[in-house]
Amino acid sequence: MNTYKIAVIPGDGIGPEVIREGVKVLNAVAAMDGSFAFDFTEFPWGCDYYLETGRMMPEDGIEILQGFDAILLGAVGDPRVPDHVSLWDLLLTIRKHFDQYINLRPVKLLEGAPCPLKGMGPADIDMTFVRENSEGEYAGSGAWLFKGQPNEVVIQDGVFSRHGCERVIRYAFELARSEKKSLTSISKGNALNYSMVFWDEIFAEIAKEYPDVPTHSYLVDAASMFMIRDPKRFEIVVTSNLFGDILTDLGAAIAGGMGLAAGANLNPERKFPSMFEPIHGSAPDIAGQEISDPLATVWAVSQMLDFFGHPDWGKKLIDAIETVLKEGKTLTPDLGGNAKTPAVGDEIVRILKEM
Ligand code: IPM
Ligand code: MN
């Protein structure tokens, strides 16, 4: 029997509540399938750990995680710790050390999910964002000079390497080809005259290798307008780290809300573990009340099952989420219901068993 070793980092705020449901669903899937199992190891890293030890994770945290097949992350962030500390020392460290250069984020409106756009339905909103996840505007390169002086200067560089751009764009082309979809590149070459002109050139170069894939190229400002006015034109989308970050929150807003938004941080070569997470954050204002929505985490574990080579189960989980939404009986308050977090996980398991 194949046993997947999963490092579980529930993290802060609502992280532990939603992760419990993700683990519940994965265990149920393994029991139903019978040909694989999960071995979960939980790590208490995050902001509480930081307040006790002065670190978000132990010094050898990365070495510890290296031995796992995947990481399941809840959320990072707590009002008592500056965000740039908590995020850089845990989430971003893991993404960078494990070269998780693909951030795969579905923006797919399921039947039964709320959509704020007038007259739009599931047939109109079905995209997959491929966000560059290792460099770009989030490379962490820059300087803070003359701190506190009148001549204070800060510089935040955008780092775009040929290798980094090529690999993410090529990944997106492969995905578009395999799914027989169009690929849209989103950039900003008219204003960012180095980084984004370079990005556009590489996109055009690689497009020549994929004559079968229809392509579009948009400026990010226009793209954000089209995502609202005409989302149907986007299928597979590839973009830089910062633009992908912003546009996938916009995507979440038109595809059911943050309670349904998931992301996979992938190292496609599988040299390092990949990491799966709901992308809603720690929501400290509602933590501990068990009213957080675990559906984004269920979606993230569906991405994990896809990545492990069980797309049939990945699809079943999405179908189960859709069934919960359509039934409308077991939803958390963000989706207009009054169910508790564990009840939603139980409902997913019940639906899976009936499939
Ligand atoms: C996300 C988050 C992170 C990011 C933050 C918390 C650093 O917003 O995963 O989208 O921007 O990557
Ligand atoms: Mn974000």
Side-chain angles (χ1 to χ4, degrees):
M1 169 132 62
N2 198 356
T3 299
Y4 299 112
K5 286 180 65 192
I6 313 293
V8 180
I9 307 176
D12 306 318
I14 60 172
E17 302 168 18
V18 294
I19 287 305
R20 216 168 288 138
E21 303 313 306
V23 169
K24 181 192 284 177
V25 169
L26 283 174
N27 276 329
V29 164
M32 279 182 270
D33 185 279
S35 77
F36 58 86
F38 293 99
D39 176 9
F40 297 101
T41 307
E42 196 169 310
F43 297 98
W45 304 342
C47 289
D48 283 332
Y49 188 88
Y50 176 88
L51 292 167
E52 277 165 37
T53 67
R55 302 186 57 93
M56 289 294 293
M57 65 168 145
E59 223 173 321
D60 59 349
I62 289 293
E63 282 140 64
I64 293 170
L65 294 175
Q66 173 68 67
F68 288 85
D69 294 311
I71 302 161
L72 181 60
L73 177 79
V76 184
D78 184 301
R80 296 167 299 167
V81 181
D83 281 340
H84 67 276
V85 172
S86 60
L87 272 319
W88 267 101
D89 293 356
L90 189 59
L91 176 66
L92 296 176
T93 297
I94 294 172
R95 285 183 184 166
K96 279 175 206 296
H97 271 273
F98 290 146
D99 205 16
Q100 295 166 347
Y101 62 90
I102 299 297
N103 195 326
L104 206 59
R105 296 187 164 184
V107 174
K108 183 179 170 63
L109 181 65
L110 299 180
E111 234 180 281
C115 176
L117 304 182
K118 210 165 54 186
M120 300 280 180
D124 302 299
I125 302 176
D126 186 359
M127 15 183 151
T128 303
F129 268 76
V130 181
R131 167 188 176 188
E132 204 293 319
N133 209 32
S134 66
E135 53 175 35
E137 307 87 344
Y138 293 7
S141 160
W144 198 312
L145 306 174
F146 315 115
K147 221 174 193 160
Q149 308 297 316
N151 55 344
E152 189 167 13
V153 175
V154 302
I155 299 167
Q156 185 94 45
D157 299 317
V159 175
F160 291 78
S161 66
R162 176 164 281 280
H163 174 68
C165 295
E166 281 183 0
R167 64 184 183 174
V168 66
I169 290 172
R170 190 163 274 120
Y171 182 95
F173 268 108
E174 288 292 333
L175 184 62
R177 173 176 275 173
S178 73
E179 297 195 355
K180 297 194 169 34
K181 290 188 172 158
S182 68
L183 176 61
T184 298
S185 163
I186 297 178
S187 64
K188 185 68 188 173
N190 56 353
L192 302 177
N193 53 340
Y194 300 111
S195 58
M196 290 294 164
V197 172
F198 185 60
W199 173 281
D200 288 346
E201 274 185 24
I202 293 175
F203 184 73
E205 267 170 44
I206 296 181
K208 292 198 194 112
E209 297 170 29
Y210 297 85
D212 51 312
V213 176
T215 60
H216 310 280
S217 199
Y218 292 123
L219 297 167
V220 65
D221 44 355
S224 59
M225 183 265 296
F226 284 131
M227 276 179 70
I228 303 293
R229 307 260 326 229
D230 186 20
K232 210 175 174 164
R233 64 173 77 197
F234 300 95
E235 294 184 337
I236 309 294
V237 181
V238 65
T239 190
S240 72
N241 210 333
L242 174 64
F243 294 168
D245 184 24
I246 298 168
L247 292 174
T248 53
D249 267 26
L250 178 65
I254 62 171
M258 290 310 282
L260 285 164
N265 304 273
L266 303 180
N267 175 251
E269 292 75 28
R270 295 166 200 255
K271 197 168 148 205
F272 304 107
S274 291
M275 176 165 65
F276 301 82
E277 50 165 349
I279 65 171
H280 44 54
S282 58
D285 51 325
I286 60 160
Q289 302 173 44
E290 294 206 314
I291 56 167
S292 56
D293 194 337
L295 291 177
T297 302
V298 176
W299 203 315
V301 303
S302 141
Q303 291 187 293
M304 184 191 286
L305 288 161
D306 287 345
F307 191 70
F308 283 157
H310 304 291
D312 42 339
W313 277 113
K315 165 99 177 46
K316 277 188 188 172
L317 288 198
I318 304 299
D319 291 346
I321 295 172
E322 192 160 47
T323 303
V324 171
L325 292 166
K326 279 196 292 199
E327 288 175 350
K329 290 181 317 212
T330 318
L331 299 175
T332 44
D334 58 302
L335 293 172
N338 55 16
K340 294 283 185 186
T341 310
V344 179
D346 291 344
E347 182 64 6
I348 292 280
V349 171
R350 189 191 67 77
I351 292 166
L352 286 173
K353 285 186 176 153
E354 280 193 354
M355 269 175 179

